[in-house]
Amino acid sequence: MGQLSDGDVLEYCLGKAGAWQDEPWDGDVVAKVGPKIFAFLGGGSVGLKCGANREEADELVDTYPDDVSKMAYIGRAGWNTVRLGGAVPDDEVLELIDASYETVVGKLPKRQRPTAGD
């Protein structure tokens, strides 16, 4: 894979167990697991849970100040916007998606967590 595109990121997200695409607001595509969002998609970027709190998420902003920013509204809870095709390597973007997914799954009630076959 060359440079990650919006389509590549969506496909990667939807490859996760129990993941599904939703459009909770007109024109805003998200990837969910159970009832919870783990990635905001589109526009050449991906919004992800990048830390348990703002301080943890700011480490990524400090590392890539031109390509990672605090998300509007939910940024205080550790969500960042990561620009695709910038300084953040594609493999690190995929690792961040994995971490966001795992964080969200870990907070779901056991009955809502996907199993390997989902």
Side-chain angles (χ1 to χ4, degrees), residues 68-115:
V68 179
S69 58
K70 174 179 157 183
M71 282 187 74
Y73 309 111
I74 60 173
R76 68 184 178 281
W79 287 81
N80 287 338
T81 299
V82 180
R83 188 169 70 86
L84 302 177
V88 184
D90 287 352
D91 60 342
E92 188 167 351
V93 172
L94 298 178
E95 288 172 12
L96 291 168
I97 292 169
D98 293 345
S100 184
Y101 171 84
E102 292 298 332
T103 298
V104 171
V105 166
K107 292 185 178 196
L108 291 174
K110 288 200 185 331
R111 61 180 163 50
Q112 290 182 343
R113 292 182 190 172
T115 57

Side-chain angles (χ1 to χ4, degrees), residues 24-49:
W25 309 279
D26 191 35
D28 289 333
V29 175
V30 300
K32 289 183 170 182
V33 58
K36 299 288 189 179
I37 296 170
F38 71 92
F40 293 83
L41 306 158
S45 65
V46 58
L48 300 166
K49 178 80 168 157

